[in-house]
């Protein structure tokens, strides 16, 4: 675990220089999980609905695993309220506090990019 | 029945095993659930979607499992760079291997070529096999379609049913949801340009509906159009509609005149539907209701068995149940009606089995050959890659010593191997379709036109997968072993010769390749020999310089049979007027390599048992020119002569097999035999020939030649002998015949040699493929042997230099290296010969005229293999001899 800068210093703001930008897929996963904790398949469906091109089971779970290990995402001990548990579905995943920070940092970065684009007239409105 | 998705889940479960255990245990169940949901969304939405879905799933799983393993090898901890930077990293890691690969272009090229060749060759065969033999026929619920045959006990022959048989089955077989009968129909279309003989199919009610065929234009037959006394209706094939009637929609409702009456055209069948006459797969031009193609006699004669059937099993009914019921009906009704035929029984079979059984049998050897080629290609790729990674152990250990992580090295080697193998597989995938098309052009396969032979994705995937996995293992395992070496120990061995064990591993691979190649060479050699032995000399008659055609004499042209000989004379005169024609021979009904229907033969003193069973013979009515023109020798007595027309008792010349039954050639002359209900006096014996052509295999042929002048036939075949190219005579001869008898069609016009050649089309594709495989395999083995010996020479350059310095001669060195190569080949040869003996049984099934175990072929294969091995060894040997003592010692 020592190699992950995120888990090493969870209380510190997420390092902006080294770890950003997040991969687009990571951003989408984090956003989807912020909306509602999900199991793997639900996440997949959500991403597809959001216009992400086909995400495959294998790559998705690899991403999830990386996010779990770097502490951006955590597995819930119990299914979220109001959801009938389906044991086959496996774990439910939710965004951790660190994950929210990382996502916020990335979104800020994106916003600053958009603002720069606006200042040079590439983007309007 | 298992739920449809079950198999898919099983398959995915297997795929999941590709992931490292830890990953699988953590996410496996949940991934399965996700996959199940995904799969359900795709299920039932067509084969294209399924293929796309599966190839994406397989590819995504392979890639992510590989990455996951790499990660586990790197120490299993979380990604040091976190989850966000992998892409750029991977690119950087690809740059290095690309540089390394271009540094050794020859090995890289050889590996790519190996995998491409193996992929393309194997997938071509698998495609051919799956599209002709495995895939369901393109009809709705094809797996439930069956045919009922009359089966002669103890043979593999399938015969047709009579209309009475058909009615009994249709009414009695409750296991069959539907049963239709079809028959070959021949009509003479009468048009402004004269008479044309066309082939079509006569069918009973529900035929098109059973096969799920929809009309291209118009409609198909209504129920009442199948009734006796209805107006004759006709459906045309799309091709005839376009070619003969200009695709005119106005044709529907108009009539087509034929020699037997006029038919109203009511519809056009779609172009891709070729009908269901599946013995010689003719180009059918029309369909008519069976009732308008049958005589009253054929409808009631129990023994007129010329109809084929197609039925559909009731849902949930097994073939065995239908078979049982058909047998019961057969015993209860059919046999009681024709008690003489105890050797016949009705048999139910899946539709298509009559042509698939033979294909399946012949494909077995081909599949074996494809498997062997794949083996050789995989072995070769493995050999090349493993020796390469062994060579690089020095480099690897140096890099470990300099602090490179093991994971990083492994990843690099993996990436290199992956690049090579994917390039090979991609190349093979590109080459496979044109290769298959080329094969099929070279040797068209005799299958129904509704089968489309298109590259099969699964076949490609399987072949490429085997090769890629083999190559990946071969390319990386030695490297993995290599990097475990402790730097200090490994560095000290750097530059020394390769270890004995590793060298013998490479040589063992070559031995295996040689062995497999020998098996392939023997197989190909046997097939070529078999193919040649089917050739002209064995037929027993001349085929070159002969043109044949058949004249179907219409009653409008010649009213009375007694006037036929007069027409024959005019045919001889008009065709003989062409200076290019040397000789004209006439035979009724058919000239070789085709024969008319069989008839029975009998003689006084014939064993009772034979008399009951009926001995089948073919009766040919010939003119005096026939036997000499075809160069069929007379072995006793005389041939047919002009005066035979007036003999009080009809005379006959019999084939040697008939004479043998009668007690020998000399005994037979003068005896009387009853053929086709007429007593003939034997005046001569001709040698045995394969009258019906080379492919139909029979234990023996009984042929009887009688005088055509005495018994003239309305179907008469004309054989023209010429020194010119026979096909040059076709146009003028058919025109002359047309002028002579305008209402009588001319058909079956072919040079005799071309017709015989046509009979080989089926077997030819196998010969072509097997020869191609054997030569590919030979080439690959040569490359492998060359590579191994070249590597040996390169590694022992120093040693060779020392030996040169100590006075070893060049000739001695050349001999030593070639001897090494030949020794490897010899071991392989010995093993391969054993393999060829073991495979003899499989070869035998597709051979004709040679046994499965043929010493000359084996010897020839051994010689070819040894020559190639010597050549492959010669180049490295010369390189060894060129090593200068000084330069070698310096190096």
């Amino acid at each position: 675990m020592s190699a992950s800068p995120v888990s090493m210093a969870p209380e510190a703001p997420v390092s902006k220089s080294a770890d950003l930008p997040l991969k687009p897929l990571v951003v989408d996963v984090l956003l989807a999980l912020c909306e509602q904790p999900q199991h793997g398949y639900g996440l997949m469906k959500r991403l597809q609905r959001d216009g992400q091109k086909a995400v495959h089971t294998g790559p998705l779970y690899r991403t999830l695993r990386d996010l779990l290990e770097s502490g951006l995402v955590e597995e819930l001990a119990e299914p979220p309220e109001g959801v009938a548990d389906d044991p086959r579905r496996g774990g439910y995943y939710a965004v951790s506090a660190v994950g929210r920070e990382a996502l916020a940092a990335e979104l800020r970065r994106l916003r600053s990019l958009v603002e720069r684009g606006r200042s040079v007239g590439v983007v309007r409105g | 029945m298992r739920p449809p998705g079950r198999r898919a889940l099983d398959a995915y479960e297997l795929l999941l095993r590709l992931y490292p255990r830890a990953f699988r245990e953590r996410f496996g169940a949940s991934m399965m659930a996700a996959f199940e949901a995904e799969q359900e969304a795709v299920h039932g939405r067509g084969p294209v979607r399924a293929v796309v879905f599966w190839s994406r799933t397989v590819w995504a799983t392979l890639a992510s499992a590989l990455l996951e393993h790499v990660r586990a090898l790197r120490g299993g901890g979380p990604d040091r760079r976190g989850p966000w930077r992998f892409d750029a990293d991977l690119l950087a890691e690809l740059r290095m291997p690309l540089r390394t690969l271009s540094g050794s272009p020859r090995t890289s090229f050889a590996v790519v070529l190996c995998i491409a060749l193996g992929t393309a060759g194997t997938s071509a065969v698998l495609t051919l096999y799956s599209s002709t033999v495995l895939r369901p026929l393109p009809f709705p619920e094809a797996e439930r379609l069956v045919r009922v045959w009359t089966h002669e006990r103890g043979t593999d022959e399938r015969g047709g049913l009579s209309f009475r048989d058909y009615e009994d089955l249709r009414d009695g077989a409750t296991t069959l949801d539907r049963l239709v009968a079809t028959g070959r129909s021949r009509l003479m279309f009468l048009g402004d340009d004269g008479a044309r003989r066309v082939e079509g199919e006569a069918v009973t009610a529900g035929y098109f509906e059973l096969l799920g065929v929809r009309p291209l234009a118009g409609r198909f037959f209504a129920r009442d159009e199948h009734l006796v006394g209805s107006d004759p209706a006709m459906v045309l094939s799309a091709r005839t509609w376009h070619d003969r009637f200009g695709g005119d929609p106005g044709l529907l409702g108009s009539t087509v005149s034929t020699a037997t009456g006029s038919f109203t055209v009511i519809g056009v069948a779609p172009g891709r539907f070729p009908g269901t006459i599946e013995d010689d797969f003719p180009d059918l031009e029309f369909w008519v209701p069976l009732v308008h193609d049958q005589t009253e006699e054929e409808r009631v004669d129990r023994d007129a068995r010329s109809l084929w059937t197609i039925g559909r099993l009731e849902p949930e009914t097994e073939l065995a149940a239908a078979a049982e019921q058909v047998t019961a009906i057969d015993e209860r009704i059919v046999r009681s009606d024709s008690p003489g035929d105890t050797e016949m029984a009705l048999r139910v079979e899946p539709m298509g089995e009559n042509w698939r059984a033979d294909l399946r049998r012949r494909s077995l050897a081909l599949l074996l050959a494809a498997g062997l080629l794949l083996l050789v290609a995989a072995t070769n790729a493995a050999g090349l890659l493993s020796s390469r990674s062994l060579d690089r152990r020095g480099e690897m250990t140096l890099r470990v010593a300099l602090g490179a992580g093991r994971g990083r090295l492994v990843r690099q080697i993996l990436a290199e191997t992956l690049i090579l193998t994917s390039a090979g597989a991609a190349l093979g995938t590109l080459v496979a379709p044109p290769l298959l098309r080329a094969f099929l052009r070279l040797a068209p396969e005799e299958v129904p036109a509704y089968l489309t032979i298109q590259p099969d994705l699964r076949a490609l995937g399987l072949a490429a997968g085997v090769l890629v996995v083999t190559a990946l293992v071969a390319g990386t395992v030695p490297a993995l072993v290599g990097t475990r070496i402790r730097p200090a120990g490994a560095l000290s061995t750097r530059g020394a010769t390769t270890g004995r064990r590793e060298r013998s591993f490479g040589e063992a691979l070559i031995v295996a390749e040689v062995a497999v190649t020998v098996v392939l060479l023997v197989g190909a050699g046997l097939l070529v020999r078999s193919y040649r032995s089917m050739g002209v000399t064995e037929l027993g008659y001349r085929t070159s310089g002969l043109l044949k055609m058949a004249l179907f004499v219409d009653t409008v042209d010649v009213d009375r049979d007694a006037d036929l000989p007069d027409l024959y004379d005019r045919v001889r005169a008009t065709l003989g007027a062409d200076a290019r024609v040397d000789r004209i021979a006439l035979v009724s009904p058919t000239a070789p390599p085709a024969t008319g229907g069989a008839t029975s033969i009998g003689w006084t003193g014939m064993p009772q048992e034979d008399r009951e069973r009926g001995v089948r013979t073919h009766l040919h009515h010939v003119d005096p020119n026939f036997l000499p023109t075809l160069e069929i020798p007379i072995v006793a007595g005389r041939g047919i002569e002009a005066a035979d027309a007036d003999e009080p008792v009809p005379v006959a010349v019999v084939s040697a097999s008939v004479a043998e039954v009668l007690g020998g050639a000399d005994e037979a002359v003068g005896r009387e035999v009853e053929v086709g209900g007429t007593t003939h006096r034997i005046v001569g014996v001709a040698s045995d020939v394969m009258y019906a052509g080379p492919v139909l295999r029979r234990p023996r042929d009984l042929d009887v030649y009688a005088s055509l002048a005495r018994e003239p036939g309305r179907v008469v075949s004309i054989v023209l002998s010429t020194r010119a190219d026979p096909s040059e005579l076709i146009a003028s001869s058919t025109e002359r015949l047309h002028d002579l008898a305008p209402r009588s069609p001319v058909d079956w016009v072919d040079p005799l040699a071309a017709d015989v050649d046509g009979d080989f089309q089926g077997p030819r594709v196998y010969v072509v493929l097997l020869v191609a495989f054997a030569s590919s395999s030979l080439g690959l083995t040569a490359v492998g042997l060359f590579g191994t010996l070249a590597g040996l020479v390169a590694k022992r350059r120093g040693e060779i230099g020392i030996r040169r310095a100590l006075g070893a001669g060049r000739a001695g060195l050349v001999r030593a290296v070639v001897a090494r190569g030949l020794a490897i080949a010899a071991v392989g040869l010995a093993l391969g010969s054993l393999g060829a003996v073991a495979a003899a049984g499989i070869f035998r099934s597709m051979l004709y005229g040679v046994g499965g175990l043929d010493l000359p072929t084996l010897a020839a294969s051994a010689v070819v293999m040894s020559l190639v091995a010597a050549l492959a060894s010669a180049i490295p040997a010369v390189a060894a001899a060129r090593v200068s003592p000084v330069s070698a010692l310096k190096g």
Side-chain angles (χ1 to χ4, degrees), chain B residues 456-521:
Chain B
D456 189 313
L457 281 180
R458 286 169 308 173
L460 269 174
L462 182 69
V466 167
L467 285 164
V468 167
V469 168
T470 317
L472 275 178
V473 171
T476 47
V477 169
L480 285 176
V481 174
T483 52
R484 196 168 286 145
I485 294 168
R486 288 179 172 280
L491 278 177
S492 63
T493 64
R494 187 170 181 271
T497 52
T498 326
R500 178 174 290 273
R501 243 189 26 208
E502 288 147 13
R503 216 168 52 222
S504 53
F505 173 67
E507 287 175 5
L509 287 181
I510 303 293
V511 165
E513 279 180 46
V514 170
V516 170
T517 302
V518 167
V519 174
L520 276 175
L521 279 176

Side-chain angles (χ1 to χ4, degrees), chain A residues 41 57 61-62 65 69 88, chain B residues 30 36-38 68 71:
Chain A
Y41 175 63
T57 331
Y61 276 86
R62 269 178 55 76
R65 195 272 330 279
E69 278 180 7
R88 288 181 315 157
Chain B
S30 151
E36 186 177 1
E38 252 190 309
E68 201 53 37
R71 184 176 176 283

Side-chain angles (χ1 to χ4, degrees), chain A residues 38-116:
Chain A
Q38 303 260 21
H39 49 65
Y41 175 63
L43 190 56
M44 215 155 72
K45 297 285 335 163
R46 184 83 198 87
L47 292 179
Q48 266 159 19
R49 239 193 350 264
D50 283 348
Q52 268 274 333
K53 281 242 175 78
V55 194
H56 270 278
T57 331
L60 178 71
Y61 276 86
R62 269 178 55 76
T63 304
L64 262 180
R65 195 272 330 279
D66 285 339
L67 292 174
L68 283 166
E69 278 180 7
S70 53
L72 300 189
V73 163
E74 54 200 19
E75 192 166 349
L76 299 180
E78 282 174 16
E81 276 181 30
V83 180
D85 191 17
D86 179 352
R88 288 181 315 157
R89 292 285 184 225
Y92 282 82
Y93 307 101
V95 182
S96 68
V98 184
R100 276 181 187 277
E101 288 227 48
L103 179 61
E106 168 71 358
L107 294 178
R108 276 198 298 277
R109 188 186 69 82
L110 289 174
R111 188 171 58 200
S112 75
L113 281 180
V114 172
E115 273 159 12
R116 275 180 63 194

Side-chain angles (χ1 to χ4, degrees), chain B residues 164-186:
Chain B
R164 294 276 303 279
D165 295 344
Y166 161 69
E167 283 179 318
D168 289 336
L169 280 176
R170 183 193 57 195
D171 301 340
T174 53
T175 47
L176 296 179
D177 157 36
R178 273 197 194 177
L179 188 68
V180 299
T182 71
R184 198 184 277 262
S185 170
R186 293 198 171 96

Side-chain angles (χ1 to χ4, degrees), chain B residues 223-239:
Chain B
R223 284 252 145 212
D224 54 11
E225 281 166 327
H226 290 281
L227 299 178
V228 181
S230 58
D231 287 336
M234 176 180 280
V235 169
L236 288 178
S237 77
R239 177 140 40 129

Side-chain angles (χ1 to χ4, degrees), chain A residues 1-6 17-23 26 39-41 44-45 48 54-59 61-70 72 75 87-91 93, chain B residues 12 19 23 26-27 29-38 40-41 52-53 56-58 60-61 63-69 71 76-87:
Chain A
M1 292 307 241
S2 63
S4 163
V6 176
S17 53
D19 306 325
L20 297 181
L22 296 176
K23 283 207 307 187
V26 170
H39 49 65
Y41 175 63
M44 215 155 72
K45 297 285 335 163
Q48 266 159 19
V55 194
H56 270 278
T57 331
Y61 276 86
R62 269 178 55 76
T63 304
L64 262 180
R65 195 272 330 279
D66 285 339
L67 292 174
L68 283 166
E69 278 180 7
S70 53
L72 300 189
E75 192 166 349
R88 288 181 315 157
R89 292 285 184 225
Y93 307 101
Chain B
Y12 190 67
Y19 286 99
F23 187 84
R26 185 162 178 193
F27 297 109
S30 151
M31 286 173 81
M32 279 293 283
F35 173 80
E36 186 177 1
E38 252 190 309
E40 271 162 16
V52 169
F53 172 73
R56 285 210 321 235
T57 303
V58 169
T61 310
S64 58
L66 184 69
L67 291 170
E68 201 53 37
H69 274 287
R71 184 176 176 283
D79 208 310
R80 252 164 283 170
R81 285 165 301 276
W84 29 78
R85 296 258 306 270
F86 199 79
D87 285 356

Side-chain angles (χ1 to χ4, degrees), chain B residues 386-524:
Chain B
S386 70
S387 79
R388 212 173 87 104
S389 66
L390 282 175
D391 287 348
R392 289 176 55 200
R393 241 191 232 185
E395 175 203 331
M396 292 294 153
T397 39
L398 186 62
R399 287 174 61 185
V400 170
L402 293 177
R406 223 179 107 208
R408 194 181 170 83
L409 293 185
V410 170
R411 218 163 0 144
Q412 194 204 320
I413 291 175
L414 256 179
E416 282 176 27
T417 319
L418 203 59
I419 289 170
L420 282 184
T421 47
S422 340
L427 186 63
T429 311
L430 279 180
V431 171
L435 191 71
L436 186 63
R437 275 197 294 276
F439 276 141
L440 289 173
R441 243 200 318 277
L442 212 56
E445 181 61 274
E446 279 218 323
V447 294
Y450 53 70
L451 287 185
T452 44
I453 300 180
Q454 277 167 347
D456 189 313
L457 281 180
R458 286 169 308 173
L460 269 174
L462 182 69
V466 167
L467 285 164
V468 167
V469 168
T470 317
L472 275 178
V473 171
T476 47
V477 169
L480 285 176
V481 174
T483 52
R484 196 168 286 145
I485 294 168
R486 288 179 172 280
L491 278 177
S492 63
T493 64
R494 187 170 181 271
T497 52
T498 326
R500 178 174 290 273
R501 243 189 26 208
E502 288 147 13
R503 216 168 52 222
S504 53
F505 173 67
E507 287 175 5
L509 287 181
I510 303 293
V511 165
E513 279 180 46
V514 170
V516 170
T517 302
V518 167
V519 174
L520 276 175
L521 279 176
V522 170

